[in-house]
């Protein structure tokens, strides 16, 4: 079947200069039916560029990014690091299309106005995006190569993508040229997406956010643009601000669900939104994964593990999000399932960062921390922006007492994703080990702002306030921990201790109550301290009516904390003359088997006081 003839142009058929086909007569131009573009000019350009586009796309698929870019843009763009201030100069009055564009940063850039010019050849947006994106990927690849080993001397902020400055100038000039010619209405959204990436890398996030929003308006099915936009949202308020600016379609609903999950929002409206989407896509593994992660964030580990297990049986070759599944199994201390998951992932693709994290979690659960670090480093060698590996490697370095490496790992995790509360909490823990409590307090507060309903975050904040001698703030933080404890039924998901010492339903955390009592004692408010000590004791029997033991819920039973509270109350009653109550508490301590020797000594003192009182 022959192609329908079309009028050819002499510049529509370009081959490699060294190719033996260069002297062959060019074939007829490809028909516009090869392009789905409704813009006739863009369709004509795409048809002319089709042979070269297929060649460039082949180079791109082979990760030969420089060769891919050179097919359409032989000349090299300016190179160098992109200044954080260069894309958005406040003193310049931009035209409508140049808001937030990148341009060269100079010492006098704030006082001098420049109108960028378009230096790019006349190409279809499809070919232009492929070429410029290949240049961006080439810079990222070269940056990773220059960074050398993970956590090495060159790894970190010293290496940059040197293609960013040229991309920023070229894209800004292209958009200004389109605006001057009145062609903004025919933009396709892909170059807007790339421009947003360049601006985000240059730390001009408000402008990057606007370009991503413009991109999803023009082409809402580019999930990459939605993901980049999600990474720029630091909290729920940012999500609420950006939502009215988004297009009203199905992709916005999916994005809102994903962004809410990334911000640890596991509320009823989010679950209701997920139910509506599952009615449309009942077999979507992506939506089922989001539901599992919502349960994980709300600490319903059994339900989250059940969903992940179902997904694994339905598609055992799916590697996506297996690192989260391994985290759940690690928290549940399910070593056999974690071993099976590691075998399945390794058999599917052992060179995926998710697989390396699964294996690393398995070795961590076996307390083989050196092997765990080796696999987490391997995951980062495959993808330096893989968040889970940085955070988990920080945990392992904490276990190995390597605080410097732990801090650097957590910092890199925060650089990748500022919403990772585990990395902020890990930084706080590490600085607390170093007895740098003000630093630890700052990082704990960041973690608590991301997880305001996690009691462990507020307990850490309260502990730091105590260590810097600020008891009033410590009391407030501990009370926040009590309120947060009613939000979840189980313990915190941070670390393997989450499955140990869980607090039953309706019972306040005795340790938090005890710490509040000690803070009141520190500010010489003994009566309030005693009331909190009594509340600590009350948690042994659980909530319910004091006159109806059968109606009571399960309590914590006798613990070290409640025994310490009982001893404090016994001494307090003894000091204020309540000898009968003090004797009762001391006898209970002897029965508990905790603080027995001290309790016996207190009983002797009480009896001596009673005998002296009789005489």
């Amino acid at each position: 079947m022959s192609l329908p003839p079309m009028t050819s142009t002499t510049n529509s058929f370009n081959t490699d200069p060294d190719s033996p086909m260069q002297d062959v007569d060019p074939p007829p131009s490809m028909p516009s039916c090869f392009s789905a573009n409704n813009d006739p000019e863009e369709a004509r350009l795409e048809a002319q560029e089709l042979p070269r586009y297929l060649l460039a796309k082949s180079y791109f698929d082979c990760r030969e990014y420089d060769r891919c870019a050179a097919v359409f843009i032989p000349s090299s763009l300016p190179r160098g690091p992109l200044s954080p201030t260069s894309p958005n100069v406040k003193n310049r009055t931009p035209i409508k299309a140049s808001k937030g564009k990148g341009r060269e940063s100079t010492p006098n850039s704030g006082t001098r106005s420049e109108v960028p010019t378009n230096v790019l050849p006349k190409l279809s947006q499809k070919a232009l995006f492929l070429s410029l994106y290949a240049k961006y990927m080439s810079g990222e690849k070269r940056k990773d190569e220059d960074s050398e080993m993970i956590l090495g001397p060159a790894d970190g902020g010293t290496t940059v993508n040197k293609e960013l400055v040229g991309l920023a100038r070229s894209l800004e000039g292209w958009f200004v040229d389109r605006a001057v010619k009145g062609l903004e209405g025919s933009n396709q959204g892909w170059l807007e997406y790339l421009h947003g990436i360049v601006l985000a890398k240059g730390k001009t996030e408000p402008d990057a956010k606007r370009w991503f929003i413009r991109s999803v308006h023009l082409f809402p099915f580019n999930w990459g643009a939605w993901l980049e936009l999600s990474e720029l949202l630091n909290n729920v308020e940012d999500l609420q601000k950006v939502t009215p600016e988004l297009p009203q379609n199905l992709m916005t609903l999916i994005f809102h669900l994903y962004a809410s999950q990334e911000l640890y929002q596991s509320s009823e409206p989010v679950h209701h939104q997920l139910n509506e989407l599952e009615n449309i896509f009942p077999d979507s593994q992506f939506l089922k994964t989001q539901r599992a992660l919502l349960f994980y964030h709300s600490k319903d580990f059994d339900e989250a593990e059940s969903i992940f297990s179902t997904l694994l049986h339905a598609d055992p070759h799916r590697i996506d999000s297996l690192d989260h599944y391994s985290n759940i199994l690690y928290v549940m201390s399910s070593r056999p399932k974690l071993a099976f998951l590691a075998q399945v992932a390794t058999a599917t693709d052992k060179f995926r960062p998710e697989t390396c994290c699964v294996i690393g979690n398995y070795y961590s659960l076996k307390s083989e921390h050196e092997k765990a670090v080796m696999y987490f480093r391997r995951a980062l060698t495959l993808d330096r922006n893989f968040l889970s590996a940085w955070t988990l490697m920080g945990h392992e370095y904490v276990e190995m007492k390597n605080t410097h490496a732990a801090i650097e790992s957590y910092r890199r995790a925060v650089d990748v994703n500022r919403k990772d509360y585990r990395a902020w909490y890990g930084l706080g823990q590490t600085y607390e080990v170093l007895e740098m409590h003000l630093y630890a307090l700052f990082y704990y507060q960041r973690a608590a702002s991301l997880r305001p309903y996690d009691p462990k975050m507020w307990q850490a904040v309260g502990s730091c306030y105590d260590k810097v001698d600020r008891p009033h703030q410590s009391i407030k933080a501990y009370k926040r921990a009590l309120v947060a404890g009613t939000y979840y039924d189980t313990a915190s998901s941070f670390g393997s201790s989450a499955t140990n010492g869980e607090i039953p339903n309706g019972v306040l955390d005795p340790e938090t109550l005890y710490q509040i009592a000690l803070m009141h004692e520190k500010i010489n408010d003994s009566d309030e301290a005693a009331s909190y000590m009594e509340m600590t004791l009350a948690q042994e029997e659980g909530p319910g009516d004091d006159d109806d033991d059968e109606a009571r819920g399960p309590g914590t039973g006798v613990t070290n904390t409640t025994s310490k509270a009982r001893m404090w109350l016994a001494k307090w009653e003894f000091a204020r003359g309540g000898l009968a109550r003090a004797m009762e508490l001391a006898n209970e301590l002897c029965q508990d088997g905790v603080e027995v020797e001290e309790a016996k000594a207190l009983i002797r003192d009480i009896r001596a006081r009673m005998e002296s009182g009789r005489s």
Side-chain angles (χ1 to χ4, degrees), residues 243-507:
T243 300
E245 303 178 35
L246 299 174
Q248 300 302 310
N249 54 36
L250 188 62
M251 291 301 297
T252 298
L253 294 177
I254 298 175
F255 164 75
H256 193 278
L257 168 68
Y258 175 80
S260 299
Q261 180 270 124
E262 287 289 301
L263 292 166
Y264 313 110
Q265 301 299 305
S266 186
S267 59
E268 278 299 320
V270 176
H271 279 278
H272 177 69
Q273 191 176 35
L274 178 56
N275 292 334
E276 291 181 344
L277 288 171
E278 285 189 328
N279 289 334
I280 303 173
F281 306 106
D283 300 323
S284 171
Q285 293 183 338
F286 169 79
L287 294 179
K288 292 178 181 178
T289 301
Q290 298 308 302
R291 185 177 294 280
L293 292 176
L294 288 174
F295 282 123
Y296 174 43
H297 296 327
S298 62
K299 317 222 169 165
D300 192 345
F301 301 123
D302 292 329
E303 190 65 31
E305 192 276 332
S306 175
I307 295 174
F308 271 119
S309 179
T310 303
L311 286 170
L312 184 64
H313 282 87
D315 189 356
H317 302 296
R318 183 175 183 265
I319 303 293
D320 298 342
S321 300
L322 284 190
D323 54 313
H324 296 297
Y325 186 22
S326 69
N327 289 341
I328 294 170
L329 295 177
Y330 179 89
V331 170
M332 298 175 69
S333 298
S334 182
R335 184 169 162 181
K337 287 186 177 181
L338 189 53
F340 173 74
L341 182 64
Q343 290 178 344
V344 171
T346 303
T348 301
D349 189 350
K350 63 182 178 180
F351 295 109
R352 283 279 295 271
E354 293 90 344
T355 300
C356 296
C357 282
V358 172
I359 301 173
N361 270 334
Y362 172 71
Y363 282 118
S364 178
L365 193 58
K366 291 177 64 180
S367 297
E368 297 183 26
H369 302 297
E370 291 81 4
K371 284 188 176 180
V373 167
M374 180 183 71
Y375 277 96
F376 292 139
R377 291 174 73 95
R378 185 175 297 177
L380 292 168
T381 301
L382 295 168
D383 183 0
R384 287 180 184 265
N385 293 322
F386 196 70
L387 172 65
S388 294
W390 284 116
T391 305
L392 295 173
M393 190 165 69
H395 297 346
E396 297 308 305
Y397 279 128
V398 169
E399 295 291 336
M400 296 165 62
K401 311 301 182 186
N402 189 344
T403 54
H404 175 76
I407 288 173
E408 187 61 28
S409 298
Y410 287 134
R411 287 192 186 281
R412 294 296 298 274
V414 168
D415 289 341
V416 173
N417 185 355
R418 290 164 298 180
K419 299 187 287 289
D420 184 16
Y421 75 97
R422 298 175 303 167
W424 291 111
Y425 185 88
L427 280 168
Q429 272 191 324
T430 311
Y431 278 108
E432 197 169 18
V433 170
L434 297 174
E435 297 186 357
M436 301 173 69
H437 300 299
L438 286 174
Y439 283 90
L441 177 60
F442 170 78
Y443 293 119
Y444 281 143
Q445 287 175 329
R446 291 296 298 265
S449 67
L450 289 167
R451 295 278 288 180
Y453 296 109
D454 195 331
K456 191 152 190 169
M457 306 296 117
W458 291 109
Q459 288 168 358
V461 172
S463 174
C464 274
Y465 273 128
D466 177 25
K467 291 172 181 175
V468 298
D469 199 24
R470 296 167 67 178
H472 291 285
Q473 287 87 346
S474 180
I475 290 172
K476 292 179 181 178
Y478 279 125
K479 287 182 177 180
R480 285 290 301 268
L482 289 177
V483 174
T486 62
Y487 186 79
Y488 296 126
D489 294 334
T490 58
S492 174
S493 64
F494 189 91
S496 58
S497 62
T499 57
N500 302 326
E502 292 183 356
I503 308 300
N505 252 353
V507 176

Side-chain angles (χ1 to χ4, degrees), residues 166-306:
L167 290 171
R169 295 175 188 171
S170 302
L171 285 169
E172 182 175 1
W174 188 85
F175 282 115
V176 169
D177 184 61
R178 298 281 290 185
V180 171
K181 296 178 180 178
L183 300 175
E184 289 179 301
S186 60
N187 288 358
Q188 299 175 3
W190 294 97
L191 291 168
E192 286 80 359
Y193 162 61
L194 179 58
H195 197 29
I197 293 176
V198 172
L199 293 173
K201 289 288 184 179
K203 307 299 182 184
T204 53
E205 296 180 359
D207 294 326
K209 195 181 300 182
R210 285 195 291 270
W211 281 99
F212 287 133
I213 292 173
R214 186 178 300 183
S215 175
V216 298
H217 271 280
L218 294 168
F219 188 75
F221 298 107
N222 179 13
W223 183 239
W226 294 104
L227 291 178
E228 294 288 345
L229 179 59
S230 174
E231 291 183 5
L232 299 179
L233 305 179
N234 298 321
N235 47 52
V236 181
E237 290 73 21
D238 287 349
L239 177 59
Q240 293 172 347
K241 289 179 182 178
V242 80
T243 300
E245 303 178 35
L246 299 174
Q248 300 302 310
N249 54 36
L250 188 62
M251 291 301 297
T252 298
L253 294 177
I254 298 175
F255 164 75
H256 193 278
L257 168 68
Y258 175 80
S260 299
Q261 180 270 124
E262 287 289 301
L263 292 166
Y264 313 110
Q265 301 299 305
S266 186
S267 59
E268 278 299 320
V270 176
H271 279 278
H272 177 69
Q273 191 176 35
L274 178 56
N275 292 334
E276 291 181 344
L277 288 171
E278 285 189 328
N279 289 334
I280 303 173
F281 306 106
D283 300 323
S284 171
Q285 293 183 338
F286 169 79
L287 294 179
K288 292 178 181 178
T289 301
Q290 298 308 302
R291 185 177 294 280
L293 292 176
L294 288 174
F295 282 123
Y296 174 43
H297 296 327
S298 62
K299 317 222 169 165
D300 192 345
F301 301 123
D302 292 329
E303 190 65 31
E305 192 276 332
S306 175

